[in-house]
Amino acid sequence: MAESADILSRPGQIVILPDLNAGCSMADMADITQVEDCWEQLVRAGIATELGDGVTPVTYINSTAAIKAFCGERGGVVCTSSNAAGAMKWGLAKNSKLLFLPDQHLGRNTGHALGIPLNEMVSGILT
C-alpha cells in the first residue's frame, strides 16, 4: 500500500515506510510476470485482445502498482472488498468475462453472490 500511496502523493508529500522489510502477502499472490503470461495465453486463445476487449481485468487494492497499472491499461479497475461486487458488475457490463486477481476467494465468493455459477469460474493460471 505504501507503493500506491507514494504514486498518488502530491509533490512535496513524503510517504514513509517504517519497516523496509514489510510486505503484503496478498500482493505476493500475483507477480506481474505471471499476470502478463496469463493475459498472453488469453490473447493466444482468442478470449481477450491486447487492450482488454473480451476480458475485463479486476484487481484487489492489495496488489502491486504494476498489476494495478496492467489492469488500467486494459480497461480494468482496482477494487476493495466492499466494492468488489460493483466492480464486477461494471466489468461484466464491458465484457462477458473477468480476470479477477489476486484473491481467488474474494473473486469466487463475490461472483457466486452475483449469481455466477461456480462451474463457470476458473481458478489459477491457464496452461
Side-chain angles (χ1 to χ4, degrees):
M1 297 304 293
E3 182 183 42
S4 295
D6 188 46
I7 291 169
L8 296 171
S9 65
R10 294 189 315 252
Q13 289 182 316
I14 298 172
V15 175
I16 298 171
L17 183 60
D19 182 353
L20 296 179
N21 293 316
C24 176
S25 59
M26 185 72 65
D28 292 342
M29 287 181 178
D31 177 87
I32 187 61
T33 304
Q34 293 173 307
V35 175
E36 289 169 341
D37 289 347
C38 175
W39 193 264
E40 283 303 313
Q41 290 178 50
L42 292 171
V43 170
R44 282 195 306 272
I47 297 169
T49 67
E50 287 292 330
L51 298 178
D53 295 320
V55 177
T56 304
V58 179
T59 192
Y60 185 61
I61 189 74
N62 285 11
S63 60
T64 65
I67 291 176
K68 291 172 185 162
F70 174 94
C71 289
E73 290 164 355
R74 286 154 186 83
V77 68
V78 177
C79 73
T80 65
S81 55
S82 65
N83 71 1
M88 283 187 164
K89 288 177 187 176
W90 174 85
L92 289 169
K94 293 180 67 169
N95 290 297
S96 63
K97 298 189 183 325
L98 298 176
L99 174 63
F100 191 94
L101 51 125
D103 186 354
Q104 68 174 316
H105 302 295
L106 177 60
R108 182 178 49 248
N109 292 336
T110 304
H112 184 69
L114 292 175
I116 301 170
L118 293 175
N119 66 347
E120 291 183 20
M121 298 182 205
V122 178
S123 295
I125 294 184
L126 299 174
T127 57

